[in-house]
Amino acid sequence: MVDDDTWSGALHRLWQAASRAEEVAALADDVYAPLLATPGVHLVVGTRWDEDATLRYMRALGADGDAPVIVATARSMPGAAVREPDGEPVVTRSSVGELDDAVWPEAEFLRQVPGASVVGCTFRLDRSGWAGLSVAVDASADTEGVARRLAQAVDVIVACHTGILQRGREARRGADDALLAEASLQMDSSLDVEDTLRRVARIAVPAVADGCLVHLLRKDGPEFVAATHVAVQQQRALEEAGRDDPWLAALLAQRDDGDQALFLSGAALDGSPFAGPGPAGGGRHPTVVSVSTLHARGRVVGSITFVYQRPEDRLPDSAFLDSLATRAALAIDNALLYELRRHAVLSLQEHLLPSKLPAVVGWDLSASYEVGDPMLDVGGDFYDAVPRPDGSIALLIGDVCGRGAEAAALTGLARHTLRTLLEEGTDPGTALSRLNRALRQEGATRFLTAVVVTMAPQADGTVRLTTCSAGHPRPLVLRADGSIGEVVSGGLLLGILDDVSYESHEDSLAPGDTLVLFTDGLTESREADGTYFESVLPGRLSALRGSDAAHVAESLARQARTFRASGQDDIALLVARWNGITPSDGLLPLETLLEQAALR
């Protein structure tokens, strides 16, 4: 039995569950159990309806039942429209015998309680549908109390659904903002107007729509530029429609400078290439087409036509499409300024990397940086070599997720933070932990990987390697005899969690050994048959036995570049060959190392 205090506790737990739920159905157990424990209640049935009185879902559970009966359907019940609430929840009371099956599909379950009365509540969830929650009670039940509890449970369900919708809208806005930002970056990276619009089509499908057509407006009418579709066969048909269809050409020619996004569906598509079988035919959902005008400096320069075959709630709104169109038009206007911007990007890339590596007795240091695609924005790969107070050398290499201004900012922050800490003698694990803390404090939205290796020459002529990694590819060692070793390392990516510690792993180098650090652009270069460079890297590196550091770095970068048929990530390599120190050389203090580096 559930008294008022127990019910209050159950209601509190229901509110807590509602705040965490990602869908309303997840609340079923928390709703049904306390209602069934109410005196006189024998059965609870919930239903979910579409706006057109189509039953979508029914769930029934009895007080003595072990598992609920769940019915998923698409049953049209016009008679149930009389139960649809207009605004506030509606509570009704009746006997089971009075229930009309054409109005109450729940009756088949409620009749399992002979002589029972029914207390039901119907309520709206959103504009597209409503729901019902009904209980079968015997003569001992306090029907007013049951109705009150039913209404309280409904309040929680409605609030839960509203919260889910709100979070969904916020997530959609965030995704839209991210897509618009990415679209701007992509469109800004081309000097050619038509190429800019092709990028719009590639970005939009399938994130915005299932298909996309792009036209430029010429003196003699719209000129087809590009088309893309999630299905290859439909893309071909879409391209044909974009080039030759008179209906579409007439529609695009009528668009004016001030027009907002136009949505067409149903009869409005009669006579178009999108009605019935065609570029967008054969799908599960009705076809919807939108047309957005591209206008810049007071004139129409083109249009974007989107084709949708998806649920209505996944269609973009006019504001988003207008914003996307505005950005595309501005990208056309800004194409002539791209070259100046590109020079600035190249300059920034240079400043994110050290101008030269230090010259250190016993060491041969070199690096290589290969830009994956010169048309992309500034990358996030970085490296450095840092002399330390104890005479050791610290090597660091990392990779910020993504490209662009934010990636560049994080690249600078990461490299200079690590360099400063390592110069002060901070151990690799602590340096990575403090960088992680700095990223979290800055609210960085991108993660990055990095590995730090300190190299300390020993009295016996070997070098002690101390390695810490934050999710970065493991360094390799090319031994003097041509064998290849992998430096053990592993740790969580930077910028994910607030408090992270990193373990150190030790290894050693002998004279003639070469340590190779690299970013994943090297290993993830891929041939047309899908083979990754990672699979051939040990053999390629072994073949470079006896080479100096510069040759190793430049050769591996060149081989990866010619190897790959796909993949446009930047490639960074940092190579250190240990030549050894003669007894007369000794280990040099930091001041001497810095002085030598400055003189070179």
Side-chain angles (χ1 to χ4, degrees):
M1 299 297 182
V2 176
D3 56 25
D4 288 340
D5 290 339
T6 306
W7 169 257
S8 296
L11 193 62
H12 177 69
R13 289 189 295 275
L14 180 58
W15 277 109
Q16 289 179 319
S19 67
R20 300 187 300 267
E22 296 182 359
E23 56 180 16
V24 173
L27 296 180
D29 291 339
D30 295 291
V31 171
Y32 282 40
L35 286 175
L36 286 170
T38 300
V41 174
H42 294 271
L43 185 75
V44 180
V45 186
T47 53
R48 179 73 168 90
W49 301 82
D50 284 348
E51 187 74 20
D52 57 357
T54 299
L55 177 65
R56 290 294 181 184
Y57 175 86
M58 186 158 54
R59 185 183 196 272
L61 181 64
D64 55 354
D66 294 330
V69 177
I70 298 176
V71 179
T73 181
R75 190 193 314 174
S76 178
M77 300 186 65
V82 298
R83 297 174 59 198
E84 181 177 342
D86 291 331
E88 295 298 317
V90 177
V91 177
T92 58
R93 301 170 183 82
S94 61
S95 67
V96 170
E98 296 173 349
L99 300 182
D100 182 349
D101 288 357
V103 179
W104 288 79
E106 305 98 317
E108 62 177 292
F109 296 106
L110 295 170
R111 291 194 185 101
Q112 296 175 9
V113 184
S117 297
V118 177
V119 180
C121 182
T122 55
F123 53 96
R124 297 210 67 83
L125 286 174
D126 50 48
R127 291 180 299 175
S128 63
W130 52 285
L133 192 62
S134 304
V135 296
V137 300
D138 60 27
S140 68
D142 175 6
T143 56
E144 290 300 322
V146 171
R148 184 170 56 255
R149 293 184 178 185
L150 205 58
Q152 290 172 337
V154 165
D155 286 343
V156 180
I157 294 172
V158 172
C160 175
H161 186 71
T162 301
I164 292 170
L165 292 179
Q166 179 63 29
R167 292 193 294 274
R169 286 191 292 267
E170 291 173 354
R172 181 66 178 269
R173 282 195 295 270
D176 287 349
D177 290 344
L179 180 62
L180 289 173
E182 180 65 21
S184 294
L185 288 173
Q186 291 289 332
M187 291 184 294
D188 284 348
S189 63
S190 175
L191 289 170
D192 183 82
V193 171
E194 293 186 2
D195 183 60
T196 297
L197 294 178
R198 290 189 185 98
R199 289 170 182 263
V200 175
R202 291 196 296 269
I203 292 168
V205 175
V208 177
D210 299 280
C212 178
L213 279 164
V214 183
H215 290 79
L216 283 176
L217 184 61
R218 303 298 191 185
K219 290 182 179 180
D220 54 352
E223 176 184 311
F224 170 74
V225 175
T228 187
H229 198 283
V230 292
V232 175
Q233 290 183 343
Q234 294 189 24
Q235 178 170 329
R236 296 193 186 101
L238 206 59
E239 291 173 350
E240 293 176 2
R243 290 189 181 95
D244 305 320
D245 187 75
W247 182 93
L248 184 59
L251 174 67
L252 300 182
Q254 297 170 3
R255 303 295 290 159
D256 295 326
D257 176 55
D259 287 343
Q260 294 182 325
L262 171 68
F263 284 87
L264 302 171
S265 61
L269 295 178
D270 289 346
S272 77
F274 313 109
R284 179 180 177 183
H285 299 280
T287 299
V288 178
V289 173
S290 70
V291 182
S292 297
T293 303
L294 301 175
H295 48 87
R297 289 188 296 188
R299 62 188 180 90
V300 176
V301 297
S303 63
I304 306 175
T305 303
F306 290 122
V307 181
Y308 313 92
Q309 275 191 291
R310 54 185 62 187
E312 183 179 350
D313 60 2
R314 290 184 56 203
L315 297 179
D317 57 30
S318 296
F320 171 80
L321 293 177
D322 292 341
S323 182
L324 182 61
T326 297
R327 292 167 190 244
L330 289 175
I332 296 172
D333 243 9
N334 292 335
L336 295 178
L337 299 176
Y338 177 75
E339 188 62 29
L340 291 176
R341 178 179 180 275
R342 188 59 194 162
H343 284 309
V345 167
L346 292 174
S347 177
L348 176 58
Q349 186 79 69
E350 292 176 358
H351 284 83
L352 291 176
L353 300 173
S355 58
K356 60 182 179 180
L357 299 176
V360 183
V361 172
W363 289 103
D364 177 16
L365 303 178
S366 188
S368 178
Y369 194 102
E370 289 284 341
V371 177
D373 184 346
M375 295 304 291
L376 290 176
D377 213 332
V378 61
D381 292 10
F382 63 92
Y383 61 82
D384 209 340
V386 184
R388 288 162 56 81
D390 60 1
S392 64
I393 300 293
L395 301 184
L396 63 98
I397 193 166
D399 186 0
V400 176
C401 174
R403 310 180 71 94
E406 184 180 359
L410 288 182
T411 298
L413 171 65
R415 180 193 159 213
H416 291 294
T417 297
L418 288 176
R419 179 180 181 87
T420 300
L421 292 171
L422 294 169
E423 280 181 334
E424 294 173 350
T426 306
D427 66 88
T430 302
L432 288 175
S433 295
R434 290 177 63 178
L435 172 58
N436 181 74
R437 191 181 314 133
L439 293 172
R440 298 294 294 171
Q441 290 173 349
E442 288 290 327
T445 59
R446 302 186 187 216
F447 63 84
L448 63 98
T449 68
V451 64
V452 177
V453 182
T454 59
M455 307 182 300
Q458 304 297 297
D460 62 359
T462 63
V463 172
R464 185 178 70 250
L465 300 182
T466 302
T467 304
C468 279
S469 175
H472 199 81
R474 292 181 173 184
L476 297 178
V477 176
L478 170 59
R479 302 293 180 185
D481 62 1
S483 62
I484 303 298
E486 187 177 66
V487 177
V488 175
S489 59
L492 188 68
L493 303 173
L494 294 162
I496 302 297
L497 300 177
D498 289 334
D499 296 315
V500 183
S501 59
Y502 294 92
E503 295 183 358
S504 297
H505 301 271
E506 292 195 353
D507 208 325
S508 65
L509 295 182
D513 290 350
T514 301
L515 177 65
V516 181
L517 284 69
F518 48 86
T519 56
D520 59 9
L522 180 75
T523 53
E524 294 181 3
S525 295
R526 185 167 55 177
E527 278 190 320
D529 64 0
T531 302
Y532 285 94
F533 192 72
E534 181 179 22
S535 64
V536 301
L537 176 57
R540 301 289 181 93
L541 180 56
S542 179
L544 296 172
R545 178 182 60 177
S547 301
D548 60 24
H551 182 69
V552 172
E554 293 168 3
S555 178
L556 288 179
R558 182 177 62 254
Q559 290 183 56
R561 184 179 66 248
T562 57
F563 179 88
R564 67 181 173 192
S566 64
Q568 295 181 328
D569 200 4
D570 293 357
I571 298 173
L573 288 129
L574 182 58
V575 179
R577 176 182 169 86
W578 173 238
N579 294 321
I581 297 178
T582 63
S584 60
D585 290 330
L587 299 181
L588 301 180
L590 175 61
E591 292 78 5
T592 304
L593 296 173
L594 295 177
E595 181 179 353
Q596 290 180 348
L599 293 175
R600 300 235 175 168

